[in-house]
């Protein structure tokens, strides 16, 4: 007798990959061995239904998958890889692991299906449990584990689209849960809707008609965000906070649903608000606004007996349930071999956000800052009634963006890193105040934001906001210069709230302040907003001049940062070093260009002179032939340091400061050059030294296997994984270097990789990005959550820089010049104010170009294929959304 194979024994190593094809680009099924014919067909069935897909995850790579669904600044609920809904983070704070429960029952969607041949089945629309959810003190701790579910499950994604594919040999149909939230570059309001859209698509394999019902159930958990708990009878913590919660069935204007409110939760609480579960279904909808009393399983049994009998729900009188569930059931008739679908919307509205630097221990008006999105909608039901009539159009526009993006002929890992990290903008890492300004923590801890203040030295790295939502990016520049920078030029690198307290933090970060100057230049160039530049210029200039104050970063004005330099390593460097020095050189170049534009020629000359001196000195004195080192220069007398520069990390002991880089090879020592390339400011240092340095970072910092690596702090990569270390010390190490030197962090890896791409080290840069994404494989880590100091870390959005580098995209609304590389293909582009595609068709000595604007307005006077040729349009022309131009560029020279 031959060997009996188990489910995963296919004769192919489990690390092999399967490629399937989805509209708009390839789908990579992670960890998926070559499936049997039936399962392989299942993976291909959705290739023609209009939804783009980029990467797939098989049953063994679903445990950590959690795709955030929600709008920019609204919070999210996450779609789990099995089809479950987890991490309910809609009440103004992170809530990792929080699922609202009534007893052991959480939110779920269930299916009832029957036919005339005796089929009758009822189960949750979820895949099987993960193995780590089997054991607990009182049985499985998994939410909703007591319901039957589907046996087979896969997950596919191209953010913001997530698809869960469910099948079972006992059922004559396959279910595709297709979930998303509208995301359209440039259109901030459309991308900021507090909703999760869930479509259940039932695909029959039967030759007979099927009757099916999809039922959604959601506990009314208003008042509960997971942050406060009380012990249950076992002593285990149970989230608390609900009081007087009520559910109401509504049907109007073709929309049916359950509206959830509270009569007992304080109207000042951040957990006070409304929730809705709604559907636009035209079929007869049955519902419950309450379940039977929750005693010894009675409520669950009563629901299951009711729904599993015929798929209909019978209303129950209001009970004393603290968290009353609401249920909504929609019937469908599926023709033989046909497909039918039903759509549900989860919407929310929680208006009370309080300051991240609150002065009072509880809710108070002086600490209230509010949410922008709650000023656009009256409540959660208003969200549903405004979104449902536009839902098809919103979906089509989102599909258009993602498909155009995925059609760009770039490596899959590059597309994935850029696209999936956009989810951070939707999480509780980010929020918008009523005035529309965007703010962000560095990341999100499990129950609260991590490191407040739109920390400048972290947010310096990310590029996605500026190139997709220019309005939001510019709003951050307004906060930094108009509010956080004082009359001396000191920019508080953490912004306190409300804005009347913006300068209270009172400490300056060397890299943070210099990076903001470069970002001001970048955002001005992308937007062409001369008026705003002139308005902010006095504070921008002050921010540069602050470098030269007594006891400051460059008090002797020699173009070098030598003073006490607090930075993103959370320490103070002393003496000239490549990381701070690069940011300073980039800021001087940016300030020079802005000064010339506003007519401040004298200041432009000063910046130019300092840049020239500093650049030459760094090449001659910090470059060791392989990379740039840090020349430590202790300041023995603390009174010689400007007080606002000392945050208190990196004290000098016995004449030598702790936590210095020293002779180390730092992963992002060229971060200033990374930003200068994106800004189009040219080289800050000798090009040959820049390229040599990047090769040295690969040589010394890249670890193809971390099993033998000692790490003295946090582990974001480990075991057999590959990564770029924060620093290496081939020439000897200080006794106590900066604390993170043995760690791995994705945002820094991306900055180094993008630098490689700009230097033509394409394969090396792509390999570095690939090794990051291989670590976020769904089994070990969530593909939509690159962590550093907290989940959904802002720095990881540096990944968008790879799109810019590989496409050669650069744009100036000031001059109207648009640039691309001459590489053939149809490329997605976005400048924060418009987006579209650019198709290049080579023909020997000429290239045919088709430039399309899909949304927004593009000012253009000249189109360049870098190193090939250009086309002049004369005076600046404006292309509106929906317009396109075609032309030919002949090779110059």
């Amino acid at each position: 007798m031959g060997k009996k194979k188990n489910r995963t024994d296919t004769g192919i190593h489990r690390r092999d990959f399967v490629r399937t094809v989805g509209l708009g680009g390839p789908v990579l099924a992670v960890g998926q061995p070559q499936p049997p014919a039936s399962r392989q067909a299942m993976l291909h069935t959705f290739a023609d239904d209009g939804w783009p897909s980029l990467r797939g995850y098989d049953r063994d790579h679903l445990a950590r998958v959690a795709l955030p669904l929600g709008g920019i600044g609204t919070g999210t609920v996450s779609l789990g890889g099995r089809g479950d809904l987890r991490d309910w983070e809609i009440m103004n704070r992170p809530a990792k692991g929080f699922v609202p429960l009534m007893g052991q029952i959480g939110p779920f969607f269930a299916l009832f299906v029957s036919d005339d041949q005796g089929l009758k089945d009822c189960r949750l629309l979820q895949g099987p449990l993960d193995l780590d959810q089997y054991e607990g003190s009182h049985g499985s701790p998994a939410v909703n584990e007591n319901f039957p579910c589907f046996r087979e499950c896969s997950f596919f994604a191209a953010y913001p689209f997530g698809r869960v594919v469910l099948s079972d040999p006992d059922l004559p149909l396959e279910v595709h849960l297709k979930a998303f939230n509208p995301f359209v570059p440039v259109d901030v309001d459309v991308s900021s809707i507090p909703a999760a859209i869930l479509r259940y698509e039932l695909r029959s394999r039967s030759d007979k008609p099927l009757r099916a019902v999809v039922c959604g159930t959601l506990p009314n958990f208003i008042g509960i965000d997971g942050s406060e708990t009380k012990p249950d009878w076992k002593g285990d913590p149970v989230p608390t906070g609900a009081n007087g919660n009520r559910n109401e069935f509504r049907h109007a204007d073709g929309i049916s649903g359950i509206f959830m409110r509270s009569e007992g939760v304080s109207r000042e609480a951040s957990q006070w608000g409304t929730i809705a579960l709604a559907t636009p279904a035209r079929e007869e909808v049955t519902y419950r606004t309450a379940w039977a009393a929750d005693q010894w399983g009675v409520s669950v049994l009563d629901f299951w007996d009711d729904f599993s009998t015929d798929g209909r729900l019978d209303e129950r009188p209001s009970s004393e349930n603290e968290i009353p569930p609401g249920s909504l059931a929609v019937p469908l008739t599926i023709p033989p071999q046909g497909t039918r679908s039903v759509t549900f919307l989860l919407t929310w509205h929680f208006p009370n956000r309080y300051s991240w630097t609150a002065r009072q221990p509880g809710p108070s008006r002086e600490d209230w800052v509010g949410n922008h999105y709650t000023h656009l909608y009256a409540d959660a039901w208003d969200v549903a009634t405004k979104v449902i009539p536009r839902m098809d159009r919103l979906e089509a526009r989102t599909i258009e963006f993602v498909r155009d993006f995925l059609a760009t002929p770039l490596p899959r890992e590059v597309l994935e890193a850029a696209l999936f990290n956009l989810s951070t903008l939707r999480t509780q890492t980010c929020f918008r105040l009523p005035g529309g300004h965007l703010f962000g923590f560095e990341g999100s801890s499990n129950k609260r934001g991590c490191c407040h203040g739109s920390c400048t030295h972290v947010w310096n790295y990310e590029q996605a906001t500026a190139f997709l939502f220019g309005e939001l990016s510019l709003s951050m520049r307004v906060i930094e210069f108009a509010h956080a920078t004082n009359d001396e030029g000191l920019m508080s690198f953490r912004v306190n709230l409300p804005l009347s307290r913006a300068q209270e933090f009172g400490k300056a970060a060397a890299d943070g302040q210099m990076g903001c100057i470069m970002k001001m230049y970048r955002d001005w160039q992308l937007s062409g907003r001369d008026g705003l530049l002139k308005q902010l210029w006095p504070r921008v200039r002050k921010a540069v001049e602050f470098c030269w104050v007594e006891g400051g970063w460059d008090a002797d004005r020699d173009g070098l940062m030598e003073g006490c330099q607090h930075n993103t390593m959370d320490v103070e460097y002393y003496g000239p070093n490549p990381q701070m020095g690069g940011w300073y050189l980039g800021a001087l170049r940016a300030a020079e260009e802005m000064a010339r534009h506003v007519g401040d020629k004298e200041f432009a000359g000063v910046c130019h002179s300092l840049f020239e001196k500093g650049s030459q000195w760094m090449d001659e004195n910090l470059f060791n032939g392989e990379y740039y080192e840090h020349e430590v220069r202790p300041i023995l007398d603390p009174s010689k340091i400007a007080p606002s520069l000392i945050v208190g990390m990196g004290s000098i002991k016995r004449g030598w400061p702790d936590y210095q880089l020293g002779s180390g090879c730092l992963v992002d020592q060229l971060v200033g050059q990374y930003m200068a390339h994106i800004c189009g400011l040219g080289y800050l240092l000798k090009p040959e030294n820049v390229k040599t340095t990047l090769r040295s970072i690969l040589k010394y910092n890249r670890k193809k296997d971390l099993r033998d690596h000692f790490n003295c702090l946090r582990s974001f990569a480990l075991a057999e994984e590959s990564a770029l270390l924060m620093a290496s010390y081939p020439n000897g190490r200080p006794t106590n270097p900066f604390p993170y030197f043995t760690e791995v962090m994705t945002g820094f890896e991306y900055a180094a990789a993008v630098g490689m791409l700009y230097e033509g080290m394409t394969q090396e840069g792509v390999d570095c990005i690939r090794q990051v994404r291989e670590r976020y494989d769904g089994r070990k880590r969530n593909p939509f959550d690159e962590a550093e100091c907290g989940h959904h870390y802002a720095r990881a959005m540096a990944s968008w820089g790879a799109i810019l580098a590989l496409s050669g995209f650069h744009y100036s609304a000031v001059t109207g010049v648009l640039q691309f590389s001459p590489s053939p293909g149809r490329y997605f582009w976005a400048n924060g104010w418009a987006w579209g595609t650019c198709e290049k068709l080579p023909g020997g000595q000429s290239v045919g170009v088709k430039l399309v604007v899909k949304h927004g307005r593009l000012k253009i006077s000249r189109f360049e294929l870098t190193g090939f040729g250009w086309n002049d349009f004369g005076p600046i022309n404006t292309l509106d959304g929906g317009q396109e131009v075609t032309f030919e560029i002949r090779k110059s020279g």
Side-chain angles (χ1 to χ4, degrees):
M1 180 178 291
K3 178 183 176 182
K4 183 178 181 180
K5 293 186 177 183
N6 60 30
R7 177 176 56 82
T8 60
D9 187 359
T10 63
I12 295 180
H13 195 280
R14 295 188 49 77
R15 290 179 62 88
D16 288 347
F17 293 139
V18 170
R19 282 197 179 274
T20 63
V21 178
L23 272 174
V27 182
L28 188 65
V30 177
Q32 177 86 47
Q34 183 68 38
S38 61
R39 188 165 181 185
Q40 189 173 21
M42 184 264 292
L43 291 175
H44 285 273
T45 52
F46 59 86
D48 59 354
D49 71 359
W51 264 41
S53 295
L54 176 61
R55 188 161 182 172
Y57 303 83
D58 72 357
R59 175 174 165 173
D60 298 320
H61 290 76
L62 301 179
R64 306 301 302 169
V65 171
L67 185 152
L69 296 168
I72 297 173
T74 72
T76 57
V77 57
S78 291
L79 173 66
R82 301 169 46 238
D84 57 314
L85 296 173
R86 59 180 75 169
D87 300 339
W88 287 76
E89 302 174 283
I90 62 176
M91 298 183 187
N92 299 302
R93 71 168 70 236
K96 281 290 174 280
F98 171 61
V99 177
L101 301 177
M102 185 196 75
Q104 192 68 14
I105 304 304
F108 67 82
F109 286 81
L111 172 70
F112 173 88
V113 62
S114 64
D115 64 14
D116 294 336
Q117 308 300 312
L119 170 69
K120 187 177 179 181
D121 193 275
C122 191
R123 63 187 63 212
L124 254 60
L125 286 160
Q126 293 180 187
L129 288 180
D130 305 315
L131 291 178
D132 62 356
Q133 295 181 303
Y134 275 63
E135 184 179 37
S137 64
H138 289 68
S140 170
V143 176
N144 300 330
E145 48 75 29
N146 40 352
F147 294 109
C149 60
F150 283 76
R151 298 186 193 181
E152 293 295 338
C153 183
S154 298
F155 186 91
F156 299 86
Y159 191 81
F161 297 105
R163 180 197 300 259
V164 181
V165 179
L166 300 166
S167 64
D168 195 291
D170 293 337
L171 291 180
L173 81 169
E174 183 175 276
V175 180
H176 290 217
L177 163 54
K178 299 161 72 173
F180 79 105
N181 181 286
F183 191 100
V184 180
V186 181
D187 198 330
V188 179
D189 286 344
V190 160
S191 304
S192 303
I193 298 172
I197 300 173
L198 309 171
R199 179 176 303 126
Y200 288 88
E201 196 171 84
L202 312 182
R203 303 182 174 201
S204 174
R205 298 192 297 264
S206 173
D207 294 330
K208 308 294 182 183
L210 297 176
R211 177 178 177 268
V213 183
V214 178
C215 173
T217 293
L218 176 64
N220 181 343
F221 63 104
I222 294 169
I224 303 176
D225 63 6
S227 64
E228 298 182 6
T229 62
K230 63 181 179 181
D232 65 5
W233 67 274
K234 304 187 299 297
D236 295 333
V238 176
T240 187
N243 185 12
N245 290 3
R246 300 289 183 267
N247 296 336
E248 170 190 343
F249 176 75
R250 291 183 176 184
H251 176 77
D253 300 322
I255 301 173
S256 301
I258 309 291
F259 178 63
M260 300 182 174
R261 54 187 174 83
S262 177
E263 297 176 353
V265 174
S266 169
R267 294 177 68 90
E268 284 71 48
S270 60
Q271 302 89 350
W272 176 82
T274 56
I275 305 171
L277 173 64
T279 179
R282 298 182 181 275
E283 295 82 358
E284 179 186 357
V285 173
T286 60
Y287 62 90
R288 284 187 176 192
T289 57
W291 281 22
D294 184 25
Q295 297 177 351
W296 289 95
V298 170
S299 62
V300 180
L301 178 62
D302 174 73
F303 169 84
W304 197 250
D305 283 349
D306 183 21
F307 182 62
S308 65
T309 298
D310 57 8
R312 293 182 55 84
L313 294 177
D314 295 323
E315 177 68 298
R316 293 291 184 265
S318 296
S319 67
E320 298 302 317
N321 287 333
E322 187 179 66
I323 311 172
S327 298
L328 194 66
V330 180
L332 301 166
T333 299
I334 311 173
Q337 304 292 327
T339 298
R340 292 292 183 269
S341 65
V342 59
T343 299
F344 292 87
L345 270 77
L346 288 168
T347 59
W348 56 89
H349 187 276
F350 290 88
N352 297 322
R353 181 177 292 275
Y354 289 90
S355 172
W356 48 22
T357 48
R359 291 176 175 172
Q360 303 298 327
S364 68
R365 294 312 298 175
E366 69 172 306
D367 288 328
W368 186 91
V369 294
N371 284 311
H372 180 266
Y373 82 90
T374 59
H375 287 256
L376 304 179
Y377 306 98
D379 54 30
W381 190 259
D382 188 41
V383 178
T385 59
K386 288 179 177 176
V387 171
I388 285 177
R390 301 188 295 147
M391 192 163 52
D392 290 346
R393 175 60 179 154
L394 295 176
E395 180 179 356
R397 292 180 64 195
T398 305
I399 288 174
E400 183 180 34
F401 154 58
V402 177
R403 290 179 65 179
D404 283 342
F405 179 77
L406 296 186
T408 300
L410 298 180
R412 191 269 308 164
E413 297 83 358
V414 171
L415 298 174
E416 180 187 320
L419 193 64
F420 285 22
N421 275 303
L422 296 181
S423 59
T424 294
L425 290 171
R426 319 293 275 275
T427 69
Q428 288 289 354
T429 292
C430 303
F431 60 93
R432 297 175 69 197
L433 295 193
H437 297 93
L438 178 69
F439 294 83
F441 291 92
E442 293 182 23
S444 297
S445 296
N446 288 339
K447 293 187 178 181
R448 63 183 182 182
C450 186
C451 302
H452 80 281
S454 301
C455 179
T456 56
H457 57 57
V458 168
W459 278 83
N460 275 350
Y461 288 71
E462 75 93 9
Q463 303 299 329
T465 308
F467 285 89
L468 293 177
F469 300 102
E471 173 188 342
L472 296 182
S473 191
L474 267 184
S475 79
M476 299 186 85
R477 307 294 82 77
V478 171
I479 296 300
E480 290 156 359
F481 290 103
H483 296 275
T485 301
N486 68 16
D487 293 338
E488 188 185 19
L490 185 160
M491 180 189 292
S492 291
F493 73 85
R494 298 190 188 277
V495 176
N496 288 6
L497 290 175
L499 281 177
S500 58
R501 310 174 193 168
Q503 297 176 17
E504 284 186 354
F505 188 74
K507 299 294 183 181
D511 49 357
Q513 188 151 329
M514 297 302 98
C516 287
I517 294 166
M518 297 186 76
K519 289 188 294 187
M520 185 66 231
Y521 174 82
R522 176 198 65 193
D523 291 0
W524 163 59
Q525 286 285 313
L526 290 173
S527 67
R529 299 291 179 88
D530 283 357
L532 184 61
L533 174 63
K534 291 175 181 177
Q535 175 188 338
L536 296 179
W537 172 248
R539 288 299 176 94
V540 176
R541 174 171 170 160
K542 282 289 186 182
V544 178
E545 292 174 326
F546 182 76
C547 298
W548 313 327
V549 301
E550 184 176 355
W553 298 315
D554 185 17
D556 60 1
R557 299 196 186 195
D558 62 354
L560 297 175
M561 279 201 166
E562 302 143 306
C564 175
Q565 305 152 59
H566 186 77
N567 63 79
T568 196
M569 301 307 179
D570 295 321
V571 299
E572 278 95 45
Y573 287 163
Y574 294 88
N577 62 86
Q579 191 181 28
M580 301 305 106
W583 278 120
Y584 185 31
L585 294 178
L588 289 170
R589 279 287 297 116
E592 175 189 350
E593 296 297 329
M594 289 185 284
R596 292 192 195 284
H597 191 80
V598 299
D600 196 345
K601 295 182 180 179
E602 181 180 354
F603 191 73
V606 171
C607 292
H608 179 80
S609 176
L610 289 177
F611 168 78
E612 291 288 338
K613 288 191 291 185
S615 177
Q616 180 178 347
W617 194 94
M618 285 180 63
D619 275 321
E620 292 177 353
N621 295 275
L622 296 187
F623 187 68
N624 67 9
E626 290 189 290
Y627 57 88
Y628 292 87
E629 294 187 358
H630 171 198
E631 182 183 299
V632 182
R633 297 182 185 176
I635 301 176
L636 301 180
D637 184 356
S639 68
K640 302 295 184 183
I641 303 172
S644 59
L645 305 188
I646 301 177
V647 180
M649 308 169 83
S651 62
I652 296 177
K653 298 178 181 178
R654 295 181 299 279
W656 195 261
D658 283 332
Y659 310 133
Q660 302 300 289
L661 170 62
S663 63
C665 180
L666 185 66
V667 66
D668 72 328
Q669 60 188 282
L670 294 176
V671 63
Q673 186 61 70
Y674 150 86
M675 190 65 171
H677 279 321
I678 288 170
C679 291
L681 287 169
Y683 279 94
L684 307 179
L685 300 161
K686 288 183 177 180
E688 60 270 26
N689 290 354
V690 168
K691 193 161 188 174
T692 297
T693 296
L694 290 167
R695 295 200 180 280
S696 296
I697 291 172
L698 281 173
K699 176 181 178 181
Y700 294 121
N701 294 40
R702 187 178 186 188
K703 298 283 288 186
K704 295 185 177 181
D705 188 317
L706 290 166
R707 280 175 286 196
D708 296 329
H709 173 63
F710 167 77
N711 178 12
C712 64
L713 216 55
R714 306 165 300 180
S715 294
F716 296 106
L718 64 161
E720 76 284 356
E721 295 177 324
S722 302
L724 285 178
L725 300 180
M726 291 292 290
S728 59
Y729 284 89
N731 299 318
R733 197 201 78 196
T735 301
N736 200 18
F738 74 95
Y740 307 134
F741 79 102
T742 55
E743 288 191 2
V744 169
M745 303 184 213
T746 68
F748 293 98
E749 290 179 280
Y750 287 137
V754 171
M756 295 173 199
L757 299 178
Y758 272 114
E759 298 304 321
M761 300 166 58
T762 304
Q763 190 58 57
E764 295 91 336
V766 171
D767 285 346
C768 289
I769 294 171
R770 179 180 299 115
Q771 68 191 16
V772 172
R773 293 309 302 174
E774 285 179 350
R775 303 199 299 263
Y776 289 82
D777 65 352
R779 179 173 63 90
K780 296 177 291 186
R781 299 179 186 85
N782 182 5
F784 308 97
D785 178 7
E786 293 190 14
E788 190 181 312
C789 187
H791 300 284
H792 310 292
Y793 202 75
R795 197 187 328 256
M797 288 187 285
S799 54
W800 192 265
I803 304 299
L804 308 174
L806 286 175
S807 65
F809 177 81
H810 183 73
Y811 174 71
S812 170
V814 178
T815 63
V817 176
L818 176 61
Q819 297 170 299
F820 283 92
S821 76
S823 301
R826 184 170 175 266
Y827 286 76
F828 169 87
W829 61 267
N831 69 349
W833 304 90
W835 70 273
T837 59
C838 178
E839 188 170 10
K840 296 164 286 182
L841 302 173
Q845 293 299 306
S846 66
V847 172
V849 177
K850 181 180 180 181
L851 180 65
V852 181
V853 178
K854 295 292 184 76
H855 185 86
R857 295 194 130 175
L858 181 72
K859 295 180 178 179
I860 185 168
S861 64
R862 181 182 175 100
F863 182 97
E864 296 182 0
L865 294 178
T866 306
F868 186 87
W870 63 87
N871 184 75
D872 283 323
F873 291 88
I876 291 181
N877 292 269
T878 299
L879 296 178
D880 292 323
Q883 288 188 288
E884 62 182 57
V885 291
T886 58
F887 48 91
E888 185 178 76
I889 295 179
R890 298 194 64 80
K891 187 174 180 61
S892 61

